[in-house]
Amino acid sequence: MNSIKDLTKTNKEKAPKEIIFLCVLYLSISIAIITLMTLIFDILSTGSNRLFSDYEVGLVTKQQINNPQDFLTSLDSRDPLKAGIGPAFVGTLWLMIIVVFTTFPLGTGAAIYLEEFAPKNKLTRFIELNLTNLAGVPSVIYGLMGLAVFVRLAGFGRSVLSGGLTLTLLILPVVIVASREALKAVPDTIRQGALALGATKFQAIFRQVVPSAIPGMVTGMVLGLSRAIGETAPLIFMGALTYVNYYPDSPLSGFTAIPIQVYNWIGYPQAEWKNTSSAGIILLLVMLLTMNSIALIIRNKFEKDW
Amino acid sequence: MNSSKSKFWLTMALIITACGGSDASETTNDTVANESAVVNTTVASETATKSLSGEILIDGSSTVFPITQAVAEEFTILYPEVNISVGVSGTGGGFKKFCPGEIMIADASRAIKDSEAELCKENGVNYLEVQVGIDALSVVVPTSNTWATCLTVDELTLIWTADSSVTNWNQVRDSFPDAALDLYGPGTDSGTFDFFNEEVTGEAGSRSDYTASEDDNVLVNGVSGSEGGLGYFGLAYYEENKDKLNAVQVDAGDGCQSPEAAFEGNYFLARPLFIYIAESAKDLPEVKAFVDFYFEAIDAIVPAVGYVPMLEEQKSESLNAWLEFSK
């Protein structure tokens, strides 16, 4: 009952300094929120019409466009009113699948090793230091590396597989750090309790510690994934294509992704493209918000209070 | 269009089954297999007369991209089974993939350089260069600028040459008012930059103290928002922003010419746009059909995407070169 909030409540008279400080705090939070709201409002006002209304296009032969399904399932076009995001949407889904299937085992594996098994020596500290540094490397650098390693050396070509693996590398450090935090949050008493009951170290970790940490790990994974699908720079270096008239049907086929498609549309001279790219951004935002909400739900539902 | 849509749902179904795990997959796989059989037969019957398939890989200039993309879009309606991908790596980037044989067609907003031709030769890649259209570089000022209606090439050289000391409009011509000169142009990686400097600043090269952007819409906003602004970029961006910008006429010694004069072949800053076709690809039926279709379509497409169509003799020259090459 004696938290700071309660203490300030009893002391009703505020010093002028206090008021100024509070104003500065309100100002900083409002700048962040106003910026976000302006962005979202701007995108919705320019893009929602393009994304949701039905209309006819064509000077002579009319073509009926029913949005949003036509926007989601059509190929790109030179006409901003006909252009759809289909191949880019499917390309982004492919990327997500590849990223999930590679990042989850690698990220959790590395985290479990570092947190539970690694000896506390110089080598381990060196690895940890590198992980922290890797998390801060600009994404373009990963693109260059992906181009050299996956496209050229491994011979995967400019394919959705190369793109997915590059994004995996990009978010791996973040996922490892988040998974380690989740493992750290499991109290030591759980480990010791399991060991005291005669479990081996392996059993204690994989039957008690890891299951308790899974919600935290999944949350980190989903947040990493939502970062990955918004990335443009590494994919441009990987040679993600600008126009494709087909859907990627194998990990080795060429692809384009939503952020690249939006980037390309916004560069056109005609004003209508602004609406079309906003519609693409709305789709990307919806995907991101959905994933972040999933992360939130998982965290709230499964998080244990020790 | 229908087949592209069914392809979309098919791919989605495949992705979902791939994620779905093993217990549900058996039944879903059956339905997917049935569906795909249906899709395949309908597509086959629709395109029985035009059963081309395969893959066409294209990359290169961002200036030529809108033309090639539009052609590919129309081609897809006729031949939905041909997979076409068009990248935007810039003219130089396109040749870097073209010469090692990674792609079949390169878009280029300038002719191939000797060093690039050398690389093609080393790799044994023979090619054909054909012109597909014309881009008229537009020198633009904001509509509020009432004085600069026509500039000579010498004046442009004076403004843009390396280490130029011109910072005010009254230094360009005595009759011009006292207004700070605010320069905008594309970055050094672009073919537009290369062409402008070849024609205008020559050996000396371009000054570097101007606002550079690869995004032409940034240049449009920059010039239109600045009283003393001056910039250059492709015709398409001027055409779309005529309410904000005026195109400066260019006098190369025989009178002032606006960019529209490029339609008659009289504009100094008009540059040819090319595609390069690899010899190894010309025998592939899908590539041959695509290039044939390219020539059928450019008359309608080139003006529609904001460029200048070739003159009749240029067009027949290009077409004959291609017919000879593809024999």
Side-chain angles (χ1 to χ4, degrees):
Chain A
M1 273 297 126
N2 49 2
S3 70
I4 296 176
K5 236 183 189 172
D6 297 323
L7 284 177
T8 48
K9 255 183 202 163
T10 55
N11 186 5
K12 290 239 165 102
E13 301 257 317
K14 276 182 188 157
K17 268 187 193 169
E18 221 176 311
I19 296 170
I20 293 172
F21 184 63
L22 269 177
C23 286
V24 172
L25 291 185
Y26 286 137
L27 189 71
S28 9
I29 190 75
S30 59
I31 285 177
I33 290 178
I34 289 170
T35 315
L36 183 67
M37 286 301 141
T38 320
L39 271 174
I40 291 180
F41 178 76
D42 184 50
I43 293 301
L44 285 180
S45 62
T46 49
S48 54
N49 215 17
R50 173 67 179 81
L51 189 54
F52 295 114
S53 63
D54 299 348
Y55 48 80
E56 284 186 338
V57 291
L59 290 172
V60 187
T61 43
K62 298 278 184 216
Q63 189 189 339
Q64 176 68 25
I65 304 280
N66 297 317
N67 287 316
Q69 59 271 34
D70 271 345
F71 181 71
L72 290 178
T73 57
S74 303
L75 301 174
D76 190 12
S77 165
R78 69 170 182 284
D79 183 342
L81 294 173
K82 268 201 270 182
I85 204 158
F89 185 33
V90 174
T92 291
L93 292 179
W94 266 102
L95 288 176
M96 285 169 63
I97 290 166
I98 290 169
V99 169
V100 167
F101 278 93
T102 50
T103 313
F104 197 71
L106 288 177
T108 49
I112 293 170
Y113 171 76
L114 284 174
E115 201 54 43
E116 305 289 341
F117 291 99
K120 300 271 174 273
N121 59 17
K122 274 188 181 164
L123 180 69
T124 310
R125 273 210 300 283
F126 179 70
I127 295 175
E128 286 171 350
L129 182 72
N130 268 316
L131 273 179
T132 331
N133 282 337
L134 271 179
V137 170
S139 54
V140 178
I141 310 289
Y142 285 100
L144 286 173
M145 205 200 87
L147 178 67
V149 175
F150 299 126
V151 176
R152 301 255 159 87
L153 202 65
F156 295 146
R158 294 163 198 282
S159 61
V160 70
L161 179 63
S162 306
L165 292 177
T166 309
L167 292 179
T168 298
L169 290 184
L170 177 74
I171 64 165
L172 204 48
V174 184
V175 172
I176 293 175
V177 170
S179 304
R180 289 189 66 185
E181 291 303 322
L183 287 168
K184 255 185 216 155
V186 180
D188 229 16
T189 45
I190 303 281
R191 289 183 191 83
Q192 284 159 1
L195 292 174
L197 287 173
T200 62
K201 190 177 181 189
F202 187 84
Q203 286 169 330
I205 289 171
F206 282 94
R207 297 206 184 150
Q208 297 300 325
V209 180
V210 173
S212 324
I214 285 281
M217 290 176 165
V218 172
T219 312
M221 177 70 221
V222 176
L223 290 179
L225 193 59
S226 53
R227 177 180 169 199
I229 65 162
E231 283 290 344
T232 323
L235 294 180
I236 288 182
F237 272 91
M238 303 289 308
L241 298 149
T242 312
Y243 174 81
V244 291
N245 71 340
Y246 56 90
Y247 292 96
D249 54 1
S250 83
L252 288 176
S253 57
F255 73 107
T256 184
I258 298 175
I260 301 220
Q261 187 71 78
V262 168
Y263 176 73
N264 181 44
W265 282 343
I266 204 91
Y268 283 118
Q270 293 83 358
E272 293 86 10
W273 283 108
K274 201 183 169 204
N275 305 341
T276 310
S277 29
S278 293
I281 295 171
I282 293 176
L283 176 64
L284 195 59
L285 271 179
V286 168
M287 290 175 80
L288 285 172
L289 290 179
T290 313
M291 283 205 290
N292 287 359
S293 325
I294 291 173
L296 211 67
I297 291 168
I298 292 174
R299 203 180 60 199
N300 290 347
K301 192 157 183 186
F302 295 103
E303 200 176 45
K304 283 187 191 166
D305 213 1
W306 303 102
Chain B
M1 280 289 121
N2 266 336
S3 79
S4 93
K5 237 161 254 176
S6 47
K7 264 194 226 164
F8 175 87
W9 293 116
L10 186 62
T11 324
M12 292 289 283
L14 283 174
I15 287 175
I16 291 162
T17 34
C19 310
S22 54
D23 34 340
S25 66
E26 217 162 296
T27 47
T28 2
N29 266 345
D30 281 352
T31 46
V32 168
N34 288 339
E35 252 176 59
S36 76
V38 174
V39 170
N40 281 338
T41 45
T42 48
V43 167
S45 60
E46 265 171 27
T47 57
T49 46
K50 300 167 173 179
S51 57
L52 278 180
S53 63
E55 197 167 30
I56 307 177
L57 305 171
I58 309 169
D59 207 329
S61 164
S62 59
T63 314
V64 187
F65 173 79
I67 304 177
T68 303
Q69 184 210 13
V71 174
E73 186 189 340
E74 300 291 331
F75 188 76
T76 306
I77 299 171
L78 292 179
Y79 303 99
E81 296 295 282
V82 180
N83 290 354
I84 306 174
S85 63
V86 190
V88 179
S89 304
T91 303
F95 283 129
K96 268 184 207 141
K97 291 180 189 167
F98 182 72
C99 287
E102 285 179 33
I103 55 174
M104 298 154 186
I105 296 173
D107 290 340
S109 62
R110 57 164 169 78
I112 192 166
K113 284 180 183 165
D114 289 345
S115 57
E116 291 160 346
E118 194 63 35
L119 182 66
C120 277
K121 211 174 170 187
E122 270 171 33
N123 290 299
V125 171
N126 294 319
Y127 54 82
L128 173 74
E129 169 195 290
V130 281
Q131 190 181 343
V132 293
I134 298 168
D135 184 21
L137 282 202
S138 309
V139 179
V140 294
V141 292
T143 41
S144 58
N145 181 322
T146 50
W147 58 91
T149 50
C150 179
L151 292 171
T152 66
V153 174
D154 287 341
E155 283 164 343
L156 284 175
T157 311
L158 180 72
I159 295 171
W160 283 98
T161 194
D163 303 321
S164 164
S165 57
V166 177
T167 55
N168 195 303
W169 278 96
N170 61 18
Q171 289 168 283
V172 180
R173 197 184 292 173
D174 291 340
S175 57
F176 286 168
D178 174 18
L181 188 62
D182 198 6
L183 294 173
Y184 294 85
T188 51
D189 286 341
S190 102
T192 315
F193 175 90
D194 284 343
F195 175 76
F196 183 82
N197 285 294
E198 211 168 274
E199 299 295 319
V200 172
T201 59
E203 293 270 297
S206 169
R207 70 195 287 177
S208 52
D209 55 341
Y210 67 94
T211 309
S213 173
E214 299 295 346
D215 183 346
D216 293 314
N217 285 326
V218 172
L219 301 178
V220 168
N221 289 332
V223 175
S224 60
S226 164
E227 178 83 19
L230 176 77
Y232 65 91
F233 40 71
L235 181 67
Y237 287 84
Y238 162 66
E239 294 279 343
E240 286 299 324
N241 294 286
K242 276 181 166 169
D243 51 330
K244 292 186 259 181
L245 300 171
N246 284 341
V248 178
Q249 298 188 335
V250 176
D251 181 357
D254 40 7
C256 292
Q257 297 288 358
S258 69
E260 280 84 3
F263 285 89
E264 278 84 51
N266 293 329
Y267 183 59
F268 178 68
L269 289 174
R271 60 169 166 168
L273 303 174
F274 301 104
I275 58 171
Y276 285 72
I277 305 142
E279 193 177 32
S280 55
K282 71 169 196 206
D283 294 328
L284 301 173
E286 63 273 15
V287 176
K288 189 172 181 309
F290 180 76
V291 181
D292 285 339
F293 182 77
Y294 209 116
F295 281 107
E296 278 171 41
I298 46 178
D299 280 340
I301 278 173
V302 167
V305 293
Y307 296 107
V308 181
M310 290 181 284
L311 303 174
E312 271 311 311
E313 68 253 31
Q314 286 171 322
K315 196 192 163 193
S316 56
E317 193 186 314
S318 286
L319 187 57
N320 287 337
W322 161 245
L323 292 177
E324 184 65 29
F325 185 72
S326 63
K327 229 180 235 171

